[in-house]
Every structure is written in structure tokens, then in C-alpha cells.
Amino acid sequence: MRLYKKAAACLLTAAMALSMLTACGGGGTGGNGGGNTPGTLPDNSGQIVLPDIDEGEGGGEGGGEGTGTKPTKTPIIDVNNSKLVQFSKKYAGATEFYVEMKEVSYGKDGSVARSIDGRAARKGENCYVSMATLGKNNKQQLIETLMLKNKSTWDQYLLFRSSKAAVKSRSEDDIDLSLGVLIANKLPTQMWSTEIKVGPTKYYAEVYKYHSYEYTTCFTEDGKPVYQFVRDLNEKQLESATLYKTIQVGSGTSKGLCALPSGTKTYSFDDNTGTLIDANGNKFTLQEDATTGIKVLDKDGKDVTDDFKWLTDFFEMMS
């Protein structure tokens, strides 16, 4: 693969990973300046007890979901009175917020296959999302991105905070980073209530289906969602769990994350030619290098790779 194609693939992979983080979220926790006391997610080895998957919704019991007496599900007659819908209506229109979450996905044996720590923030029409996870060979991967409104579109930047650099990877016609998206993919028309045991603690919970998945959201006593579990109805097993540690709503809660840090140098990337272009129109060409994996040349062909260590570190992290 030519280097500039690899660069484009790395930028796209980072953008897609962040999109998955926001699109797959459900559940939530909330309140002005509020947070949740649980700080960990269970490993699913008998610590999560969910209701049986109804015969009409996939048949049989979910695999790897612990032991013990299974809870039952009771239909919620008017879903508008559900805690999930009420929470969504209260916070979905927030234009400034901060969310901190942790999501794990499970293997077929119930063990944790992947763990992601994520943050999301919004102020006005500008948005911020970051995720930290372990990549190949247990390499720590931290990806930060900004979506900044530019007339009728949003420019998406990969942010290299410690190096005060940012690369515009693409532009989007529409960005939907709202508490509504983080709380639920789509508000359901049919729901059930139940009681879920997570470790030693029991929670009131609400269940709904979305496509071939079943979502179960646990609430604290004051009505704040805290856990969400997603089951694959086709595979009949628990697929993921999310803990929303914090949602803060209101002025000042975005923590200054929704803007480029002062002094940040911005670049755009031309994936047709493999060049970086800075704000002054200066072009830098990427070349493969046997030692660093990437070499950066200025317009005169001078090697300026040392000035772009943040970029070589990014390639190393994503490889």
C-alpha cells in the first residue's frame, strides 16, 4: 500500500472508531454536575443476571449471562412514562454537556474482549469525542477528535494535544452528537420493566429492542441511568456493557474541550497526493522510511521529520 493511502486509512480508521463510540451508546447517567458511584464494569462471569430472551424475540437464554434466578419482564403500558424516555426528553436538547463513559465488549465465553474509555462534549454546534483503548499487541491508543462548525458543514480534526497540532481529516454535512444519541439509538415504542442484578446490587431496569439487539438500561434510585447491556438476539449472548460515569449539563460543563487549544497548528490532508498542507498553504510530502516508517519533506525536499514527531507517533500507534 502506498504511504499516502496508508495515511488516509489511519485517519479514516480513527474517525470511524470515534463514530462507533457515539453511535453504539445507549443508557446514560445524568444531572447537572452529577455522576455515578459505580466505577467498574463486571466481567460477566456470573456477575450479570438478565431476563431470558423471550421465545418470540430470539428464543432460549442468552449465553454467558451468569447464573441464578432469572428476572421477569413486565410490559410498560405507556412508554412515555418510562424512565428512559423521561430522561431523554429532559436532556436530549442540551447544547452544552460533558459525558464520561466506559464500554466493554464480551467474547462468547463471557470474558472481556475489548475495553474503551470515552469522553464526549458539546458546546453550541462544536463537538469533541475521545477514546482510549488497547490496540494490537496491547498498544495503548488514545484518539481525540474535534468537529467544528464551518458555515454549512463540520470540519473534523484529529487532535494531537501535547504537540499542539491538528489535522483536518474530512468534512461532514451533518453531525448528531446529542445526549439523545448517547442515551438511546432510537426511542422505542415498546418497552418492558424488570429488575437486574449487577454484582451484589439490584437495579430497576427497562428493556427495549432495536433491530436484532436487546437493550437493558439500569437506573439508580433517583432515576439516572447507570448501566446499559446489549444482547445480540441472533447469537443469544451478551455483546457489550456501558457504564456512564458522568453526564454534566449546562454552562461551562464542556470544560473547554470543544475548541482548538490556543497555539495549535492546523493542517489539512490531501489523500490523493499524500501531502499535509498548513494554514499558510505550505505543503509537506509524506514518504515511507525503513527506520521511522514515515518521512516528511518540505516543498524544497528538505527532511523535516523531526518537526512532525506527533505524526510518526500516530502512525506507530495505529499500526
Side-chain angles (χ1 to χ4, degrees):
M1 179 186 293
R2 296 184 65 179
L3 180 64
Y4 67 84
K5 293 295 185 183
K6 181 179 179 181
C10 284
L11 293 171
L12 181 61
T13 298
M16 289 178 63
L18 290 161
S19 297
M20 290 173 62
L21 179 65
T22 57
C24 295
T29 178
N32 296 325
N36 291 317
T37 52
T40 60
L41 281 164
D43 63 9
N44 195 27
S45 58
Q47 297 185 58
I48 307 170
V49 182
L50 298 175
D52 284 339
I53 296 176
D54 295 341
E55 290 293 338
E57 299 175 2
E61 295 188 359
E65 295 170 13
T67 59
T69 304
K70 296 282 187 175
T72 59
K73 293 185 291 188
T74 303
I76 298 176
I77 303 302
D78 184 357
V79 297
N80 290 316
N81 293 326
S82 69
K83 292 183 182 296
L84 181 62
V85 172
Q86 290 295 314
F87 186 85
S88 179
K89 287 182 177 179
K90 184 176 181 179
Y91 293 108
T95 57
E96 184 167 7
F97 61 80
Y98 170 80
V99 180
E100 189 173 334
M101 68 200 83
K102 184 179 185 68
E103 179 183 301
V104 299
S105 58
Y106 299 105
K108 291 187 176 180
D109 62 353
S111 63
V112 174
R114 185 183 66 169
S115 177
I116 296 175
D117 290 287
R119 295 190 298 163
R122 176 176 174 173
K123 184 175 183 179
E125 295 187 281
N126 294 336
C127 307
Y128 165 90
V129 178
S130 73
M131 60 180 286
T133 187
L134 291 178
K136 295 178 181 178
N137 301 318
N138 284 327
K139 290 182 181 178
Q140 182 70 34
Q141 293 183 345
L142 171 63
I143 303 170
E144 294 183 275
T145 191
L146 281 168
M147 286 75 75
L148 304 180
K149 185 67 181 294
N150 181 8
K151 297 180 181 179
S152 61
T153 62
W154 282 261
D155 293 335
Q156 180 165 307
Y157 288 88
L158 280 176
L159 181 61
F160 303 87
R161 186 180 302 276
S162 62
S163 301
K164 293 190 174 182
V167 177
K168 187 174 76 171
S169 55
R170 62 180 181 176
S171 294
E172 296 285 345
D173 292 331
D174 186 32
I175 293 292
D176 184 15
L177 181 63
S178 66
L179 285 183
V181 171
L182 293 170
I183 293 164
N185 289 302
K186 182 180 179 181
L187 290 177
T189 57
Q190 186 177 18
M191 298 181 69
W192 296 263
S193 63
T194 188
E195 186 178 73
I196 302 299
K197 187 176 181 181
V198 182
T201 307
K202 291 183 178 181
Y203 295 92
Y204 167 83
E206 294 176 349
V207 183
Y208 70 94
K209 286 174 40 177
Y210 184 67
H211 296 308
S212 60
Y213 296 93
E214 182 186 74
Y215 291 76
T216 301
T217 306
C218 299
F219 295 82
T220 57
E221 290 185 1
D222 58 358
K224 299 174 183 176
V226 57
Y227 289 110
Q228 186 194 66
F229 302 102
V230 181
R231 291 198 288 189
D232 186 324
L233 296 175
N234 293 327
E235 297 295 330
K236 305 181 183 67
Q237 70 176 43
L238 184 62
E239 182 173 273
S240 67
T242 301
L243 166 65
Y244 282 75
K245 298 179 180 180
T246 300
I247 287 183
Q248 298 175 342
V249 183
S251 178
T253 57
S254 58
K255 305 180 186 299
L257 294 170
C258 300
L260 289 169
S262 177
T264 297
K265 292 183 178 179
T266 59
Y267 301 83
S268 59
F269 179 73
D270 187 337
D271 58 5
N272 292 315
T273 61
T275 57
L276 285 173
I277 306 169
D278 69 13
N280 296 318
N282 298 310
K283 294 184 178 181
F284 302 89
T285 303
L286 309 185
Q287 290 187 355
E288 291 187 75
D289 182 80
T291 302
T292 63
I294 180 176
K295 182 184 291 186
V296 184
L297 307 178
D298 68 11
K299 61 182 180 63
D300 298 320
K302 180 183 176 181
D303 188 340
V304 292
T305 305
D306 289 345
D307 297 332
F308 289 86
K309 188 176 185 304
W310 52 268
L311 187 60
T312 58
D313 288 346
F314 173 70
F315 272 70
E316 174 65 22
M317 180 185 72
M318 295 298 292
S319 64

